[in-house]
Amino acid sequence: MSDELYFKPLTELAALLDTKKISSVELTRSVIARTKAVDARVRAFNSYDEADALAQADESDRRRAAGKARGPLDGIPVGFKDVIAVAGQPLTASSKMLANFVSPYDATVTQKLKHAGAVVWGRLNLDEFAMGSSTENSAFRATCNPWDLARVPGGSSGGSAASLAAGEAIATLGSDTGGSIRQPAALCGVVGLKPTYGLVSRYGLIAFASSLDQIGPFTRTVEDAAVMLGGIAGHDPLDSTSYETKIPDYRGELKKRKGPWRLGIPKEYFGEGLDPEVGAAVENAIAFYRERGCEIKEVSLPHTDYGVGVYYIIATAECSSNLARYDGIRYGHRSKEARDIIDLYFKSRAEGFGAEVKRRIILGTYVLSSGYYDAFYLRAQKVRTLIRQDFLNAYREVDAILTPTSPTPAFKQGEKSDPLAMYLCDVYTIGVNLAGLPGISVPCGFSSGGLPIGLQLIGQPFQEAELLAIAHAYEQGHDWGERHPKL
Amino acid sequence: MSAPADLNIDHVANLARIALTPEEKAKFARQLGEVLHHIEQLRKVDVTGVEPTAHAFPVYNVWGEDVARPGLAVEAALQNAPAQRDNMIVVPKVVE
């Protein structure tokens, strides 16, 4: 275990803050100094506001000194994916379209974390508008994987994963539409949790595909993820898809839930395309659970192969609609070359969006266009039902499903230039979004080349407490997450 | 693989209000052709009698309280406008 504050788990730092062994200012300074030392190489941040972070840390210390500390998040620096609104701070979606946009309000998750006393720290890079699996689609910079700077950190929340792995934050927030939290968590060797659709408010999250998007945390440990989820979950009247459900004490539940569990292994997730080292690491995790008395059952998710196709119809259709708002009128990039108002729309969007965003808007517009809706969008929604039923059928026999998170460890920058090859990276994570389920990636080993490997556990709807307990049990028996990249 | 005959990229780009260069059109048509070819496999699935899913956990009849609450101040609402004058957003002339 490292002595540096910036590599310590959130819960350990919370205890140090509580017993006044460290101050939040000291901790925040440690994170800022680390960021200045390594971010020229990792390139995880779009921007950060050092003075603002230190002012928040100072406030936290004053609260604690007055005996008014607000719990385990008070004084903890948390980084934000640059699609989550923080009042008065830039909000760019890593797009030229929003390069100069400053958010006039807070997202609900931002409000919640502020109320919990967290230090809002830094805006983290992503694939433009969260569209991609490598963070190479950012209009500003490609983020590097801290374990091998020539490789991608995954995406789209690549900055959130890489900054945490590099010690540039204590926890971060990302968003997950088809794997955008879990896949970069796996590739960077940290924990990443995508909550059940509706558990966390999307108010103030820049919309990509509204029926799939969820905000979730990146952390060093599963216990940290439980603390962060407790900080952001809950019904929100400002998000009409937000679900009314009781929020348990996720951290407290970890200690109460001991298993043994029935774990399903979907045979469709262990076929062609799975890297042998990833397969072996996941097999070791299965063996670990079996030795702990868990029942391991083969299950079938027969519509798995259709997931990528369904996703790239539904997600692009929704994105073509959501991104119609970027027209150069009320905010965002406005072309200076336009002849009239219609030309202004065409040129502002042509200049403001990058290639992947344009491709997805074109595809989404096509599948929704007159004469094609039934063949594409409606059919995809029906196959989505079948994919969801596959999971619900499996849950009659098992408590959770265990799979690899990503078919391979981190790939080289520039390696996947063909969009379809990039889309197929998400084959194991997409089904979870289509079915609205919670999923978590936890570190489960390293490749012979020293790259992290992630284990995905998929839970039942709104059963995050159980899912976290299952992941926690694995983590207790391993120390993968305690290793840090040399930078 | 070339684009399916019915992906008319000019037509779709016009619907999407995006000006594409000839190079972009050629490239996107080819790349999206490959994606559409992959998507073709959905035709093999029997969806007879299957209901579509729009949201995994749909909630219905979500109403807001019918009470006034503070919104964004004018300055905050206009702070990101590309051009503004007298508390209004300036746009190119719409009617000749």
Short mmCIF file of all heavy atoms in Angstrom, two decimals, chain A residues 249-285:
data_model
loop_
_atom_site.label_atom_id
_atom_site.label_comp_id
_atom_site.label_asym_id
_atom_site.label_seq_id
_atom_site.Cartn_x
_atom_site.Cartn_y
_atom_site.Cartn_z
N ASP A 249 -28.46 1.65 3.08
CA ASP A 249 -27.10 2.04 3.45
C ASP A 249 -26.16 1.04 2.76
O ASP A 249 -25.86 -0.03 3.30
CB ASP A 249 -26.97 1.97 4.99
CG ASP A 249 -25.51 2.09 5.43
OD1 ASP A 249 -24.65 2.48 4.61
OD2 ASP A 249 -25.24 1.80 6.61
N TYR A 250 -25.73 1.40 1.55
CA TYR A 250 -24.98 0.44 0.74
C TYR A 250 -23.72 -0.05 1.45
O TYR A 250 -23.36 -1.21 1.39
CB TYR A 250 -24.60 1.07 -0.61
CG TYR A 250 -25.78 1.34 -1.50
CD1 TYR A 250 -26.15 2.63 -1.82
CD2 TYR A 250 -26.50 0.29 -2.05
CE1 TYR A 250 -27.24 2.89 -2.65
CE2 TYR A 250 -27.58 0.53 -2.89
CZ TYR A 250 -27.95 1.83 -3.18
OH TYR A 250 -29.02 2.07 -3.99
N ARG A 251 -23.05 0.88 2.14
CA ARG A 251 -21.80 0.49 2.81
C ARG A 251 -22.10 -0.46 3.97
O ARG A 251 -21.41 -1.48 4.15
CB ARG A 251 -21.11 1.75 3.30
CG ARG A 251 -19.71 1.50 3.82
CD ARG A 251 -19.15 2.79 4.37
NE ARG A 251 -17.78 2.65 4.78
CZ ARG A 251 -17.11 3.64 5.37
NH1 ARG A 251 -17.69 4.81 5.59
NH2 ARG A 251 -15.86 3.46 5.73
N GLY A 252 -23.13 -0.14 4.75
CA GLY A 252 -23.50 -1.00 5.87
C GLY A 252 -23.92 -2.40 5.42
O GLY A 252 -23.59 -3.40 6.05
N GLU A 253 -24.61 -2.44 4.25
CA GLU A 253 -25.11 -3.72 3.72
C GLU A 253 -23.96 -4.65 3.33
O GLU A 253 -24.11 -5.86 3.33
CB GLU A 253 -26.02 -3.48 2.51
CG GLU A 253 -27.35 -2.85 2.84
CD GLU A 253 -28.25 -3.76 3.67
OE1 GLU A 253 -28.30 -4.96 3.37
OE2 GLU A 253 -28.87 -3.26 4.62
N LEU A 254 -22.80 -4.07 2.95
CA LEU A 254 -21.66 -4.90 2.54
C LEU A 254 -21.29 -5.90 3.62
O LEU A 254 -20.91 -7.03 3.34
CB LEU A 254 -20.42 -4.02 2.28
CG LEU A 254 -20.37 -3.18 1.02
CD1 LEU A 254 -19.03 -2.46 0.96
CD2 LEU A 254 -20.56 -4.05 -0.21
N LYS A 255 -21.37 -5.46 4.86
CA LYS A 255 -20.94 -6.31 5.97
C LYS A 255 -22.01 -7.33 6.33
O LYS A 255 -21.71 -8.38 6.89
CB LYS A 255 -20.61 -5.43 7.19
CG LYS A 255 -19.41 -4.55 6.91
CD LYS A 255 -19.07 -3.64 8.08
CE LYS A 255 -17.89 -2.74 7.74
NZ LYS A 255 -18.24 -1.69 6.73
N LYS A 256 -23.26 -7.03 5.98
CA LYS A 256 -24.35 -7.93 6.36
C LYS A 256 -24.54 -9.07 5.36
O LYS A 256 -25.06 -10.12 5.70
CB LYS A 256 -25.67 -7.15 6.45
CG LYS A 256 -25.69 -6.15 7.59
CD LYS A 256 -27.06 -5.49 7.68
CE LYS A 256 -26.98 -4.18 8.45
NZ LYS A 256 -28.04 -3.26 8.06
N ARG A 257 -24.20 -8.82 4.12
CA ARG A 257 -24.51 -9.80 3.07
C ARG A 257 -23.28 -10.66 2.79
O ARG A 257 -22.29 -10.17 2.27
CB ARG A 257 -24.96 -9.08 1.80
CG ARG A 257 -26.25 -8.31 2.00
CD ARG A 257 -26.53 -7.42 0.82
NE ARG A 257 -27.65 -6.53 1.10
CZ ARG A 257 -28.86 -6.66 0.56
NH1 ARG A 257 -29.11 -7.62 -0.31
NH2 ARG A 257 -29.82 -5.80 0.88
N LYS A 258 -23.37 -11.92 3.15
CA LYS A 258 -22.18 -12.79 3.10
C LYS A 258 -22.30 -13.92 2.07
O LYS A 258 -21.42 -14.75 1.97
CB LYS A 258 -21.96 -13.42 4.48
CG LYS A 258 -21.72 -12.40 5.60
CD LYS A 258 -20.26 -11.98 5.61
CE LYS A 258 -20.02 -10.96 6.70
NZ LYS A 258 -18.90 -10.07 6.39
N GLY A 259 -23.43 -14.02 1.38
CA GLY A 259 -23.60 -15.14 0.47
C GLY A 259 -23.87 -16.41 1.25
O GLY A 259 -24.31 -16.32 2.39
N PRO A 260 -23.58 -17.60 0.70
CA PRO A 260 -23.04 -17.78 -0.65
C PRO A 260 -24.09 -17.47 -1.71
O PRO A 260 -25.28 -17.56 -1.45
CB PRO A 260 -22.66 -19.27 -0.67
CG PRO A 260 -23.56 -19.92 0.32
CD PRO A 260 -23.83 -18.88 1.39
N TRP A 261 -23.60 -17.09 -2.87
CA TRP A 261 -24.50 -16.68 -3.94
C TRP A 261 -24.53 -17.72 -5.06
O TRP A 261 -23.61 -18.54 -5.20
CB TRP A 261 -24.03 -15.35 -4.51
CG TRP A 261 -24.07 -14.23 -3.50
CD1 TRP A 261 -25.18 -13.54 -3.11
CD2 TRP A 261 -22.98 -13.68 -2.76
NE1 TRP A 261 -24.83 -12.58 -2.17
CE2 TRP A 261 -23.50 -12.65 -1.94
CE3 TRP A 261 -21.61 -13.96 -2.68
CZ2 TRP A 261 -22.70 -11.90 -1.07
CZ3 TRP A 261 -20.82 -13.21 -1.83
CH2 TRP A 261 -21.36 -12.19 -1.02
N ARG A 262 -25.59 -17.63 -5.84
CA ARG A 262 -25.68 -18.43 -7.07
C ARG A 262 -25.26 -17.53 -8.22
O ARG A 262 -25.89 -16.49 -8.46
CB ARG A 262 -27.10 -18.92 -7.30
CG ARG A 262 -27.65 -19.82 -6.18
CD ARG A 262 -29.15 -19.99 -6.32
NE ARG A 262 -29.81 -18.68 -6.35
CZ ARG A 262 -31.05 -18.47 -6.78
NH1 ARG A 262 -31.78 -19.47 -7.24
NH2 ARG A 262 -31.57 -17.25 -6.78
N LEU A 263 -24.18 -17.88 -8.88
CA LEU A 263 -23.64 -17.01 -9.94
C LEU A 263 -23.79 -17.67 -11.30
O LEU A 263 -23.42 -18.84 -11.48
CB LEU A 263 -22.16 -16.71 -9.67
CG LEU A 263 -21.87 -15.99 -8.34
CD1 LEU A 263 -20.37 -15.80 -8.15
CD2 LEU A 263 -22.60 -14.64 -8.27
N GLY A 264 -24.32 -16.93 -12.25
CA GLY A 264 -24.53 -17.45 -13.60
C GLY A 264 -23.39 -17.08 -14.53
O GLY A 264 -22.92 -15.95 -14.52
N ILE A 265 -22.96 -18.06 -15.31
CA ILE A 265 -21.90 -17.82 -16.30
C ILE A 265 -22.55 -17.95 -17.68
O ILE A 265 -22.89 -19.06 -18.09
CB ILE A 265 -20.76 -18.86 -16.17
CG1 ILE A 265 -20.34 -19.05 -14.69
CG2 ILE A 265 -19.58 -18.48 -17.04
CD1 ILE A 265 -19.78 -17.82 -14.03
N PRO A 266 -22.72 -16.84 -18.40
CA PRO A 266 -23.38 -16.94 -19.71
C PRO A 266 -22.40 -17.44 -20.77
O PRO A 266 -21.38 -16.81 -21.03
CB PRO A 266 -23.84 -15.50 -19.99
CG PRO A 266 -22.95 -14.64 -19.16
CD PRO A 266 -22.39 -15.46 -18.04
N LYS A 267 -22.72 -18.59 -21.36
CA LYS A 267 -21.77 -19.22 -22.29
C LYS A 267 -21.50 -18.33 -23.49
O LYS A 267 -20.40 -18.36 -24.05
CB LYS A 267 -22.27 -20.59 -22.72
CG LYS A 267 -23.65 -20.57 -23.36
CD LYS A 267 -24.07 -21.99 -23.74
CE LYS A 267 -25.39 -21.93 -24.48
NZ LYS A 267 -26.33 -22.94 -24.12
N GLU A 268 -22.47 -17.45 -23.83
CA GLU A 268 -22.28 -16.60 -25.01
C GLU A 268 -21.17 -15.56 -24.80
O GLU A 268 -20.71 -14.93 -25.75
CB GLU A 268 -23.58 -15.86 -25.34
CG GLU A 268 -24.71 -16.76 -25.84
CD GLU A 268 -25.50 -17.42 -24.70
OE1 GLU A 268 -25.17 -17.17 -23.53
OE2 GLU A 268 -26.43 -18.19 -25.01
N TYR A 269 -20.75 -15.34 -23.57
CA TYR A 269 -19.74 -14.32 -23.28
C TYR A 269 -18.33 -14.89 -23.24
O TYR A 269 -17.38 -14.20 -22.88
CB TYR A 269 -20.04 -13.64 -21.92
CG TYR A 269 -21.15 -12.61 -21.95
CD1 TYR A 269 -22.42 -12.93 -22.43
CD2 TYR A 269 -20.94 -11.32 -21.47
CE1 TYR A 269 -23.44 -11.99 -22.44
CE2 TYR A 269 -21.96 -10.38 -21.47
CZ TYR A 269 -23.20 -10.72 -21.95
OH TYR A 269 -24.21 -9.78 -21.94
N PHE A 270 -18.19 -16.16 -23.57
CA PHE A 270 -16.87 -16.78 -23.47
C PHE A 270 -16.46 -17.41 -24.80
O PHE A 270 -15.72 -18.37 -24.84
CB PHE A 270 -16.85 -17.82 -22.33
CG PHE A 270 -16.93 -17.21 -20.97
CD1 PHE A 270 -18.15 -16.81 -20.43
CD2 PHE A 270 -15.78 -16.98 -20.22
CE1 PHE A 270 -18.22 -16.22 -19.16
CE2 PHE A 270 -15.84 -16.40 -18.96
CZ PHE A 270 -17.07 -16.01 -18.43
N GLY A 271 -16.96 -16.85 -25.89
CA GLY A 271 -16.70 -17.45 -27.20
C GLY A 271 -15.58 -16.74 -27.95
O GLY A 271 -14.64 -16.19 -27.37
N GLU A 272 -15.76 -16.71 -29.25
CA GLU A 272 -14.81 -16.11 -30.17
C GLU A 272 -14.55 -14.64 -29.81
O GLU A 272 -15.46 -13.93 -29.42
CB GLU A 272 -15.42 -16.18 -31.59
CG GLU A 272 -14.43 -16.10 -32.71
CD GLU A 272 -15.15 -15.94 -34.05
OE1 GLU A 272 -16.29 -16.45 -34.17
OE2 GLU A 272 -14.59 -15.30 -34.94
N GLY A 273 -13.30 -14.22 -29.94
CA GLY A 273 -12.97 -12.82 -29.70
C GLY A 273 -12.49 -12.52 -28.29
O GLY A 273 -11.98 -11.44 -28.02
N LEU A 274 -12.65 -13.49 -27.37
CA LEU A 274 -12.20 -13.28 -25.99
C LEU A 274 -10.71 -13.57 -25.89
O LEU A 274 -10.26 -14.67 -26.22
CB LEU A 274 -12.99 -14.17 -25.03
CG LEU A 274 -12.59 -14.08 -23.55
CD1 LEU A 274 -12.82 -12.69 -22.99
CD2 LEU A 274 -13.37 -15.11 -22.73
N ASP A 275 -9.95 -12.58 -25.44
CA ASP A 275 -8.50 -12.74 -25.26
C ASP A 275 -8.25 -13.85 -24.24
O ASP A 275 -8.88 -13.89 -23.18
CB ASP A 275 -7.95 -11.40 -24.75
CG ASP A 275 -6.46 -11.45 -24.47
OD1 ASP A 275 -6.07 -11.94 -23.39
OD2 ASP A 275 -5.70 -11.00 -25.33
N PRO A 276 -7.33 -14.80 -24.54
CA PRO A 276 -7.12 -15.94 -23.63
C PRO A 276 -6.70 -15.52 -22.22
O PRO A 276 -7.10 -16.15 -21.24
CB PRO A 276 -6.02 -16.77 -24.30
CG PRO A 276 -5.79 -16.19 -25.64
CD PRO A 276 -6.53 -14.89 -25.77
N GLU A 277 -5.90 -14.46 -22.10
CA GLU A 277 -5.47 -14.03 -20.76
C GLU A 277 -6.64 -13.45 -19.96
O GLU A 277 -6.74 -13.63 -18.75
CB GLU A 277 -4.35 -13.00 -20.86
CG GLU A 277 -3.04 -13.61 -21.33
CD GLU A 277 -1.87 -12.65 -21.21
OE1 GLU A 277 -2.02 -11.45 -21.54
OE2 GLU A 277 -0.79 -13.11 -20.78
N VAL A 278 -7.53 -12.74 -20.66
CA VAL A 278 -8.74 -12.22 -20.00
C VAL A 278 -9.60 -13.40 -19.55
O VAL A 278 -10.08 -13.46 -18.41
CB VAL A 278 -9.53 -11.27 -20.93
CG1 VAL A 278 -10.85 -10.86 -20.30
CG2 VAL A 278 -8.69 -10.04 -21.29
N GLY A 279 -9.77 -14.37 -20.46
CA GLY A 279 -10.56 -15.57 -20.15
C GLY A 279 -10.02 -16.29 -18.93
O GLY A 279 -10.76 -16.68 -18.02
N ALA A 280 -8.69 -16.43 -18.87
CA ALA A 280 -8.06 -17.16 -17.75
C ALA A 280 -8.26 -16.41 -16.43
O ALA A 280 -8.54 -17.02 -15.39
CB ALA A 280 -6.56 -17.35 -18.03
N ALA A 281 -8.13 -15.08 -16.47
CA ALA A 281 -8.31 -14.28 -15.24
C ALA A 281 -9.74 -14.42 -14.72
O ALA A 281 -9.97 -14.54 -13.51
CB ALA A 281 -7.97 -12.82 -15.51
N VAL A 282 -10.71 -14.40 -15.65
CA VAL A 282 -12.11 -14.52 -15.24
C VAL A 282 -12.39 -15.95 -14.72
O VAL A 282 -13.11 -16.12 -13.74
CB VAL A 282 -13.04 -14.12 -16.40
CG1 VAL A 282 -14.50 -14.40 -16.06
CG2 VAL A 282 -12.84 -12.65 -16.74
N GLU A 283 -11.77 -16.95 -15.34
CA GLU A 283 -11.91 -18.33 -14.85
C GLU A 283 -11.39 -18.44 -13.41
O GLU A 283 -11.97 -19.14 -12.58
CB GLU A 283 -11.17 -19.33 -15.75
CG GLU A 283 -11.77 -19.52 -17.14
CD GLU A 283 -13.15 -20.18 -17.12
OE1 GLU A 283 -13.50 -20.84 -16.12
OE2 GLU A 283 -13.89 -20.01 -18.11
N ASN A 284 -10.29 -17.75 -13.12
CA ASN A 284 -9.74 -17.77 -11.75
C ASN A 284 -10.73 -17.15 -10.77
O ASN A 284 -10.86 -17.61 -9.64
CB ASN A 284 -8.41 -17.00 -11.69
CG ASN A 284 -7.28 -17.79 -12.31
OD1 ASN A 284 -7.35 -19.01 -12.43
ND2 ASN A 284 -6.22 -17.09 -12.71
N ALA A 285 -11.40 -16.09 -11.22
CA ALA A 285 -12.40 -15.45 -10.35
C ALA A 285 -13.57 -16.41 -10.09
O ALA A 285 -14.07 -16.50 -8.96
CB ALA A 285 -12.90 -14.15 -10.98
#
